[in-house]
Amino acid sequence: RANKSTHGIFLPHLVASLEQVEQTYIMVKPDGVQRGLVGEIISRFERKGFKLTGLKLFQCHKELAEEHYKDLKTKSFYPTLIDYITSGPVVCMVWEGVGVVASARKLIGSTNPLQAEPGTIRGDLAVQTGRNVVHGSDSPENGKRETALWFKEGELCEWTPAQAPWLME
Ligand code: ADP
């Protein structure tokens, strides 16, 4: 594995993290888009230091919403959840980093915004579970599954942010 930059400088912060790099699928739900919270939500992940590798505005169709939320099919709120997610455009994102899945869930906060801590996205910006403005994958496996579900090959960008050496030693 390459452990040198193109200039031959050793970059241990890049090498050390390679094994643990995860992907998470983050989505600004239709209420977040309608309420003009897209920039605010993207900004929180950006400022934390994670790497954006996919981003698009997208009108989700019913079949995709049903596949995404298939584990919740038996829940009473499932039909209204599908209506909600397909009710307007969503912003689909993939963020990468060491520990990004669990960290993103912390940044997002509890499912019920009234129980979400202040400082979290839901704690600061939402009041109801059925309008909780953002989605984040709940495991690294689901991060991969959801990324493959929402993004086509070629829609993701592999790149090295200029700030990388200033984020990890
Ligand atoms: P999370 O999004 O925090 O991972 P879940 O996977 O449990 O939470 O649920 C997925 C989504 O389904 C929630 O974000 C929310 O939009 C919706 N949902 C969950 N529970 C309810 C509920 N009791 N009433 C209405 N919508 C709900």
Side-chain angles (χ1 to χ4, degrees), residues 17 20-24 49-51 95-101:
S17 60
Q20 312 136 53
V21 169
E22 297 170 354
Q23 274 184 328
T24 191
F50 293 124
K51 178 168 80 170
W95 290 88
E96 260 186 34
V98 176
V100 69
V101 172

Side-chain angles (χ1 to χ4, degrees), residues 75-122:
K75 303 284 185 189
S76 59
F77 57 81
Y78 180 78
T80 53
L81 174 60
I82 300 303
D83 286 348
Y84 162 47
I85 293 301
T86 56
S87 65
V90 294
V91 172
C92 311
M93 292 177 268
V94 179
W95 290 88
E96 260 186 34
V98 176
V100 69
V101 172
S103 179
R105 297 274 296 181
K106 281 191 184 165
L107 291 174
I108 288 170
S110 302
T111 305
N112 180 345
L114 291 183
Q115 282 156 20
E117 294 293 326
T120 64
I121 295 169
R122 287 169 174 166

Side-chain angles (χ1 to χ4, degrees), residues 3 11 36 57 62 91 117-118 128 132 134 138 144 147 161 167:
N3 62 0
L11 295 171
L57 184 71
K62 195 162 183 255
V91 172
E117 294 293 326
Q128 204 189 30
N132 61 5
V134 65
D138 63 5
K144 282 189 199 148
T147 296
L167 278 162

Side-chain angles (χ1 to χ4, degrees), residues 37-56:
L37 298 174
V38 172
E40 165 78 35
I41 292 170
I42 292 177
S43 177
R44 292 185 180 217
F45 294 97
E46 207 175 28
R47 286 186 319 198
K48 172 75 174 168
F50 293 124
K51 178 168 80 170
L52 184 65
T53 59
L55 175 66
K56 65 182 176 186

